[in-house]
Amino acid sequence: DFTGRDEVGVLAREIDRMMARVAESRRQLVDQSFQAGFAELAKGVLHNLGNAMTPIEVRLSKVRARLKAAPVEDVERAVAELRTETVDTARRADLEEFLRLAGEQLAMTVRALEEDVSVISRQTGIVHSALSEQMRSTRNEHVIEAVRLPDLLAQSLEVVPDCARQRLVIESDRSLSDVGVVNIPRTVLRLVLQNFIINAADAVGELGKSRGTFRVAAELRCAEGQEQLYLHCSDDGVGIASGNLERVFEKGFSSKSKETNFGIGLHWCANAVGALRGRVWATSDGAGRGATLHVCVPLASRAGVSIIKAA
């Protein structure tokens, strides 16, 4: 941080520039490693699911064929005819014999279906195990980096689609700078913020506005003997109905328009933050009055954690 014009000043400035380039390369390497690991995990999970789904599809095809071949409608007609008083003795005998034979056939079908169901049950157990393994993997330790929050917001904006980015004015509250450097899993929180920004852009569009505001504020609190980072991400979009404040983080729930399909989902965000021992929640004053998504994560303080420092 020398400002002199002599050889020492020139050398110092060159070293500063070199360190800045090294820090940027290191940040990109962490991001690439995270994405590569994510892709490799997904590849393995999808492979296992594919192997498990093939026998399920085969068995379901057999189940459909057996059910289609079962003489259910004929049995129903025979039973209905036997209930009438106009059936003569010979016809009644024929119907009873048919029901006896149909009963034997249905019994064989049921036994075969029991075997099919048993196989399907075993395969769905494999699917469940694969998904459980993925959930355990998401709880592995993430790379902890020393991060300045304004830089984190800027990095999140880099991966936001232009159509969403152009719909918002991004406001960085002074509190982001006041917090200073924090030790957090940057890659995860970058993806979380990315998704929040995209959701905010969509909420603004749903309200019929051509441009809205997305504001991020931060604070540090101490809870249970550990420092916690709180991020508050507000928009002036369509808002969230009171009954949906918790549902927005449920799997399959979406308040987005059908024309947009960006981001990785608030459900993923909630799971990812939960794996960091944090939490996510939403607040809103109602329809047309915007919404705020809140994130709380504990700051890294465990002994032995390797921290990549901010440039």
Side-chain angles (χ1 to χ4, degrees):
D1 197 21
F2 293 122
T3 58
R5 296 182 178 275
D6 56 7
E7 291 86 349
V8 175
V10 173
L11 179 60
R13 286 190 291 276
E14 288 301 321
I15 291 177
D16 287 343
R17 281 194 286 269
M18 179 187 69
M19 294 303 296
R21 290 196 295 270
V22 170
E24 176 61 20
S25 298
R26 184 168 53 192
R27 181 182 73 80
Q28 293 176 2
L29 179 61
V30 171
D31 287 346
Q32 291 169 1
S33 299
F34 180 83
Q35 296 294 344
F38 221 69
E40 190 64 26
L41 173 64
K43 179 181 177 182
V45 171
L46 291 175
H47 178 75
N48 291 335
L49 292 181
N51 289 340
M53 289 302 296
T54 299
I56 292 177
E57 292 173 351
V58 172
R59 287 290 171 168
L60 286 176
S61 178
K62 290 182 178 180
V63 167
R64 284 192 294 267
R66 288 190 172 105
L67 290 176
K68 185 177 181 179
V72 177
E73 293 181 357
D74 292 337
V75 168
E76 291 176 342
R77 285 197 294 268
V79 171
E81 188 174 348
L82 281 173
R83 288 173 176 171
T84 63
E85 298 179 354
T86 58
V87 180
D88 57 38
T89 303
R91 177 61 177 170
R92 182 176 294 275
D94 289 341
L95 290 174
E96 289 175 348
E97 176 64 12
F98 167 76
L99 288 177
R100 184 185 66 80
L101 295 174
E104 293 177 355
Q105 182 178 348
L106 289 174
M108 294 176 58
T109 299
V110 169
R111 284 193 289 269
L113 289 176
E114 288 177 347
E115 181 182 352
D116 293 332
V117 170
S118 177
V119 172
I120 293 173
S121 179
R122 289 197 299 270
Q123 295 305 123
T124 53
I126 294 174
V127 172
H128 184 268
S129 297
L131 295 177
S132 297
E133 181 64 29
Q134 183 187 29
M135 291 303 297
R136 283 193 295 270
S137 299
T138 62
R139 297 186 179 94
N140 290 341
E141 294 295 335
H142 296 276
V143 175
I144 302 299
E145 300 178 66
V147 179
R148 295 183 178 90
L149 295 180
D151 295 339
L152 177 65
L153 178 59
Q155 293 163 18
S156 301
L157 287 169
E158 291 174 359
V159 287
V160 171
D162 290 340
C163 58
R165 176 67 180 85
Q166 294 167 2
R167 190 174 283 174
L168 295 171
V169 174
I170 307 297
E171 294 185 355
S172 176
D173 189 78
R174 181 178 176 178
S175 58
L176 266 66
S177 298
D178 293 343
V179 163
V181 176
V182 290
N183 300 325
I184 55 176
R186 179 185 58 82
T187 51
V188 176
L189 291 184
R190 177 175 64 88
L191 290 174
V192 170
L193 281 178
Q194 170 201 355
N195 200 69
F196 285 3
I197 294 169
I198 293 169
N199 275 272
D202 193 70
V204 168
E206 288 289 327
L207 193 59
K209 298 167 60 175
S210 60
R211 199 165 176 80
T213 301
F214 181 80
R215 182 179 182 83
V216 185
E219 61 176 315
L220 297 179
R221 301 180 190 173
C222 189
E224 300 180 354
Q226 186 172 17
E227 203 168 24
Q228 311 271 341
L229 170 65
Y230 285 76
L231 296 175
H232 311 287
C233 306
S234 304
D235 66 66
D236 55 356
V238 70
I240 304 174
S242 59
N244 291 335
L245 287 175
E246 294 185 6
R247 292 193 63 210
V248 292
F249 299 106
E250 293 179 0
K251 183 178 180 179
F253 182 86
S254 177
S255 59
K256 290 185 176 183
S257 64
K258 296 181 179 180
E259 289 77 17
T260 57
N261 189 27
F262 301 119
I264 49 181
L266 292 181
H267 177 68
W268 182 92
C269 293
N271 285 340
V273 173
L276 302 176
R277 296 180 296 114
R279 60 191 181 98
V280 179
W281 71 100
T283 57
S284 176
D285 290 333
R289 304 185 67 177
T292 302
L293 298 179
H294 309 267
V295 179
C296 170
V297 291
L299 296 183
S301 60
R302 300 182 302 275
V305 172
S306 178
I307 297 177
I308 300 178
K309 295 183 178 179

